[in-house]
Amino acid sequence: IMGPSGSGKTTFINEASGSDFAIGKGLESCTSEVQATKPFKLNGREVTLIDTPGFDDTSRSDTDILAMIGAYLSQTYEHGAKLAGIVYMHRISDFRMGRTNKRNFKMFRELCGESTLRNVLIVTNMWREVTSDLGMMREKQLEDNFFKAVLDKGARMLRHEGTQESTHLILRYLIHNQPATLLIQEELVNEHKNIAQTSAGSELMRVLNEQRERHEEVVAQLRKDM
């Protein structure tokens, strides 16, 4: 389960599995480590959900988050475990697609790779915080614009209604999937790349370089003004 901090990943996992992972109530991110639930039964299958911190975590850098997720996925892959599906959480209550949301989703795509998009579910939640008309309008915009490229390649977009029944309905779309190898697992384990050489690592370096250049421009302008 992936997505920005505060997008409801841990709440979704607790609802689905009966776990009691800590949920952030304030401005600070709560999930700072990759954590897996105890297996639980769903439609006769044994399911384990993996909670991940967002790339906008308040206590760790994006570099630390990527290294942590990469290490966990590599270890599980080396032990023969593959993912039947990947859920990306998005708040329908967000009134615009800011830079942070775009960066989170770009990193998500680079982690997964194009070949695993059929195993991806984009789950919108927090529908209770918007009117029905507004939520439907935003959902249509997401389908036609922001998420269109991955939906065209086999990903699906579903609503989470905030109940255990809804979480189980969503997970039923994944439990019978053919397990897939994520791009970052292929790169780290099979191609023996380090984290900076992966597609996700390269994207992160590009983002950090852009931030550095903007910072340098601001500092130069401040010096000129002084």
Side-chain angles (χ1 to χ4, degrees), residues 184-217:
I184 195 168
Q185 293 173 316
E186 178 74 28
E187 291 174 321
L188 291 174
V189 179
N190 297 339
E191 299 175 14
H192 306 291
K193 293 181 178 180
N194 62 46
I195 196 71
Q197 294 171 325
T198 65
S199 295
S202 297
E203 172 61 19
L204 179 56
M205 291 304 105
R206 184 190 66 78
V207 170
L208 293 176
N209 284 333
E210 283 184 357
Q211 292 175 345
R212 176 181 55 79
E213 289 170 3
R214 286 197 300 268
H215 175 72
E216 289 173 352
E217 289 173 3

Side-chain angles (χ1 to χ4, degrees), residues 5-224:
S5 296
S7 59
K9 300 187 296 293
T10 306
T11 299
F12 180 94
I13 286 173
N14 286 346
E15 287 171 347
S17 65
S19 302
D20 59 352
F21 292 162
I23 298 171
K25 301 291 186 183
L27 298 177
E28 295 290 322
S29 305
C30 195
T31 304
S32 58
E33 304 285 345
V34 179
Q35 51 189 351
T37 67
K38 293 180 180 178
F40 62 97
K41 292 288 187 179
L42 181 62
N43 281 38
R45 305 295 294 270
E46 197 170 77
V47 178
T48 299
L49 299 179
I50 302 167
D51 195 7
T52 62
F55 283 102
D56 51 344
D57 190 85
T58 54
S59 61
R60 293 176 179 267
S61 69
D62 286 354
T63 306
D64 288 341
I65 297 299
L66 178 59
M68 184 193 313
I69 294 174
Y72 184 91
L73 291 174
S74 296
Q75 184 179 36
T76 55
Y77 180 65
E78 287 175 328
H79 284 82
K82 294 183 180 180
L83 302 180
I86 310 99
V87 174
Y88 183 86
M89 305 291 294
H90 175 78
R91 296 178 294 252
I92 201 68
S93 56
D94 285 356
F95 60 90
R96 70 163 58 96
M97 270 298 179
R99 183 179 295 163
T100 299
N101 277 339
K102 291 178 180 178
R103 186 180 77 237
N104 261 283
F105 190 64
K106 178 64 173 172
M107 291 295 296
F108 172 77
R109 284 195 66 177
E110 297 296 342
L111 276 165
C112 294
E114 300 297 293
S115 65
T116 59
L117 290 179
R118 290 186 179 277
N119 286 27
V120 166
L121 293 181
I122 296 170
V123 174
T124 56
N125 67 346
M126 303 191 181
W127 282 85
R128 296 172 184 172
E129 297 183 14
V130 297
T131 63
S132 177
D133 289 345
L134 179 58
M136 290 176 64
M137 181 189 72
R138 289 179 180 170
E139 184 180 51
K140 185 70 166 62
Q141 291 174 339
L142 292 171
E143 290 174 339
D144 293 344
N145 297 285
F146 190 67
F147 295 131
K148 185 178 187 303
V150 297
L151 295 174
D152 287 347
K153 293 185 178 181
R156 297 187 186 191
M157 194 157 91
L158 302 172
R159 295 183 187 183
H160 176 227
E161 304 291 350
T163 65
Q164 185 182 67
E165 182 182 2
S166 178
T167 63
H168 287 180
L169 180 64
I170 290 166
L171 293 176
R172 287 190 183 99
Y173 281 87
L174 299 175
I175 57 177
H176 296 293
N177 280 352
Q178 180 69 30
T181 302
L182 301 187
L183 177 59
I184 195 168
Q185 293 173 316
E186 178 74 28
E187 291 174 321
L188 291 174
V189 179
N190 297 339
E191 299 175 14
H192 306 291
K193 293 181 178 180
N194 62 46
I195 196 71
Q197 294 171 325
T198 65
S199 295
S202 297
E203 172 61 19
L204 179 56
M205 291 304 105
R206 184 190 66 78
V207 170
L208 293 176
N209 284 333
E210 283 184 357
Q211 292 175 345
R212 176 181 55 79
E213 289 170 3
R214 286 197 300 268
H215 175 72
E216 289 173 352
E217 289 173 3
V218 170
V219 170
Q221 185 60 48
L222 285 172
R223 286 176 176 159
K224 182 180 177 182

